[in-house]
Each structure stands twice: as structure tokens, then as C-alpha cells.
DNA sequence: TTTTCTGCAAACGGTTTGCACTGGA
DNA sequence: TCCAGTGCAAACCGTTTGCAGAAAA
């Protein structure tokens, strides 16, 4: 049995060609292990967030189902998203100021984000050398790191050009 | 006229031995420049946050004045804190999950944070090499960075020892 | 059948806002 | 005097919760 490459959570996705079926099975096992029930709402939300968007808000998920005949209540959306985060199927990207996004982990290694203050474009990046330096800093202070969050805020090339010196920046943070 | 060392905002603190009087004068100028009024509430809040705590919440500020005979309303506390952030006198440290702290900039260069998930201890650090790598990453993606936020979450030495393998970690975010 | 889950609506908690009165400039 | 600021209470908004009926196991 090949060692699965674990991203996070107890139910790794691993393998060469991650597909939604893998996630689905992993989710079923997660649910079973916790003694929970596999409801249609949970299955539908899982499918939606893994096949449609990459970055999305809780409200957007709720909205996706509002149109369909069998809508899913806001409460259930929130409860299910929490469950998915707990199981390591989703990550949270908190941009502050009540801008809270979720992103699925399918085929995504750990990464950090650059966010455009103007158009909200989100770019992902990996920089192992930063991670390494973080490790060192944490050790120096006697901490044991669990996770980290690095967000770079600025203006993307397009928006920077449009601004052209006027720079109506949001107050930093 | 010597070039003032600007941390952020329009009213730099600079100088060898930063003292509260400098901040106060800087604040007065900020207020004047914006055509606002220097009220007793604003003066008292400024003094309190610069002499008492380093990391504090809006609610804590409100609480500090509840005891005194002339309390300050929650609304005014919020409005004043926003003003101080706008002027670059305070920074915001958003830990997510509605844990939002302010910190004054008196004698503080830019820095990042390590946060203990157990006892909420906050340690500040500076790592120029990380900053440098960030610059490079941002450039590679054609962005122009405005500011960044790096938060390392984990367990401090004390808490790590107490946990001793049981590791009741908060869901990563 | 048993137990969890869902939808609803109300509650929550931090923050903001409208308004009439207050008080700096 | 004049206009911004304050306190109050209500509004806001994303999120959570209590509860009764619905549906997995």
C-alpha cells in the first residue's frame, strides 16, 4: 500500500490524479468514522464546492442552491462548511473585514495568497524558503507551529496601471 | 529638516527616544489637518492605549473607561479607534474568529506575530529575509504590495509541555 | 426505532448608524 | 456661532442555536 500524501486532516486525498470520487469516498469515511449521517444536503454541498468554484463564501454556497428547487438552508450550509473544514476538505481564507472565503484542497498543496485590494483577485503561491524561515523563527521562540497564514495585499498589474498614481488605498489591514 | 523615519500613516513618530508627548503632538496635527476637533474623549483614548496595553480589543478600551466616572460610549470608542488606525497610530491584528486586536506603534517597527492557540500569548518578531522573499514573490506576479500579514499559530513552550501529546488543537485557520 | 439532521426563526456579538443634544474652535 | 462629536438605542450582518418535524441508519 503506497503511503498517501497527506495535506491535512485525517482523510488524505493523495494519489497521482486526484478526482472528485476520491474526495467523495474520503468524505464518506470521515462521516462514518464520526458516527454522523450522510445526508443529501451534505453530499450536494460537497459536490458543488469541489466542482464549481475554488474561492467562495458561505453565502455564495447558499446562493448556489437557492435557485434549485430543493434549496438548502443557510444553517445547514454553515454547519456543513464547518464540518468540511474540520475534516480537512476545505481551508479558510480570512481576508479580514468580514471577507471570509473557503477553498477546497483538491489537488492543492499548501499555499499562501496575494490579494488585490482593488479587484479582489486572489493569486496563490508557494515559497518554500519563506516556510523554512518561519520554522526557524518559531523555533527560536520556543513555539511549536500548527499552521500559518501569510497574506500579501496590494494591487495587481491591471489595477496598478489603472490607478496610475491616484492610489486610493484601503487603510492598511 | 531631517527626514523623518515613517512607519506608516502621515504623521511619523521617529526620533531616538519616542515618548507619549510626541505621539500626542502628532495626533493633534493629524486632527487639525483633517479639520476635526480635539475632544476630551479622543485625548483620553489616545493616552490610554499608548500608556496601558499593547494588544487590546475595542471592548477592552471601552471597559477601561466604564469604571471611571466619565465613561466613553462604545460608539465613540469604535469611531476613535478607526481614526487612530487611519492616522497610522494603531495597527490592527486580526486573528480571525472575531478576535481583533489593536496595537499602538510607539517605538514599534513593522513586525509579524506568533500566536499561542492555547493561552493566546502573542510574540512579535521581525525577519527581513522573509520580507525580502515576499517582495520577490509579489514582483513575480506583477503585483505592487501595499502591506502584508504573516501570522504563525501554534503552541508556546509552556503550553506545549502541558499538552503533552493530547494536542487539542483548534481547527486550522 | 433510534438518533442525527434539517429548516425555520430567533438569538448572538461585534460593529455601525441615525438622531438630537453637546461642546470644541 | 457653527459644525463636528458624543451618547444612546436601534440597526446591521454574518453566523450560531433551540426546537419540532424529517430522514438516515
Amino acid at each position: 500500500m503506497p503511503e498517501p500524501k497527506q495535506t491535512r486532516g485525517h482523510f488524505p486525498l493523495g494519489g497521482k490524479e486526484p478526482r472528485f470520487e476520491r474526495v467523495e469516498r474520503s468524505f464518506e469515511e470521515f462521516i462514518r468514522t464520526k458516527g454522523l449521517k450522510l445526508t443529501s444536503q451534505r453530499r450536494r454541498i460537497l459536490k458543488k464546492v469541489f466542482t464549481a468554484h475554488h474561492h467562495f463564501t458561505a453565502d455564495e454556497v447558499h446562493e448556489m442552491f437557492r435557485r434549485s428547487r430543493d434549496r438548502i438552508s443557510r444553517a445547514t450550509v454553515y454547519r456543513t462548511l464547518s464540518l468540511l473544514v474540520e475534516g480537512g476538505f476545505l481551508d479558510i481564507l480570512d481576508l479580514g473585514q468580514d471577507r471570509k472565503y473557503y477553498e477546497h484542497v483538491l489537488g492543492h498543496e499548501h499555499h499562501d495568497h496575494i490579494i488585490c485590494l482593488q479587484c479582489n483577485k486572489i493569486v496563490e503561491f508557494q515559497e518554500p524558503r519563506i516556510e523554512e524561515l518561519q520554522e526557524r523563527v518559531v523555533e527560536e521562540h520556543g513555539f511549536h507551529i500548527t499552521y500559518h497564514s501569510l497574506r500579501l495585499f496590494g494591487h495587481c498589474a491591471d489595477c496598478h496601471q489603472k490607478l496610475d498614481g491616484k492610489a486610493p488605498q484601503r487603510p492598511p489591514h
Side-chain angles (χ1 to χ4, degrees), chain A:
Chain A
M1 197 196 244
E3 191 69 6
K5 243 171 50 185
Q6 182 148 352
T7 304
R8 201 169 63 214
H10 313 298
F11 302 84
L13 300 175
K16 277 189 184 170
E17 206 172 324
R19 303 188 57 234
F20 177 64
E21 282 69 27
R22 280 177 169 286
V23 178
E24 208 165 18
R25 242 174 292 130
S26 173
F27 181 63
E28 283 164 15
E29 189 180 330
F30 171 65
I31 289 291
R32 205 181 315 123
T33 307
K34 294 208 66 173
L36 303 178
K37 291 173 179 173
L38 191 63
T39 65
S40 68
Q41 287 87 340
R42 287 178 177 163
R43 242 182 293 117
R44 287 164 64 210
I45 290 175
L46 181 78
K47 181 155 201 171
K48 207 63 152 179
V49 302
F50 268 86
T51 55
H53 295 56
H54 186 206
H55 294 104
F56 51 87
T57 64
D59 201 59
E60 280 166 11
V61 174
H62 181 235
E63 197 58 34
M64 290 177 207
F65 290 102
R66 174 128 65 182
R67 297 163 193 186
S68 73
R69 156 158 93 271
D70 348 75
R71 56 190 297 283
I72 297 179
S73 74
R74 205 177 292 274
T76 296
V77 168
Y78 276 104
R79 285 186 282 231
T80 303
L81 291 178
S82 297
L83 197 62
L84 290 172
V85 170
E86 188 190 336
F89 298 93
L90 296 181
D91 278 344
I92 291 176
L93 171 59
D94 194 335
L95 301 191
Q97 281 150 347
D98 292 322
R99 290 172 299 156
K100 192 168 171 183
Y101 291 86
Y102 295 85
E103 57 184 9
H104 64 68
V105 301
L106 185 51
H108 282 81
E109 300 288 323
H110 164 76
H111 56 262
D112 291 301
H113 299 90
I114 312 177
I115 302 105
C116 179
L117 293 170
Q118 196 67 24
C119 68
N120 271 310
K121 186 189 298 168
I122 300 173
V123 172
E124 304 174 354
F125 70 91
Q126 292 179 291
E127 182 43 86
R129 285 172 295 178
I130 290 182
E131 315 266 319
E132 197 184 311
L133 286 167
Q134 284 177 10
E135 290 291 339
R136 223 175 290 169
V137 167
V138 165
E139 273 172 32
E140 276 167 25
H141 288 87
F143 273 67
H144 295 253
I145 195 169
T146 303
Y147 61 98
H148 74 259
S149 156
L150 171 58
R151 301 164 302 174
L152 309 178
F153 296 88
H155 296 279
C156 67
D158 290 349
C159 290
H160 182 73
Q161 200 163 24
K162 284 179 201 152
L163 291 179
D164 195 23
K166 291 159 217 152
Q169 291 172 359
R170 260 179 235 187
H173 160 240

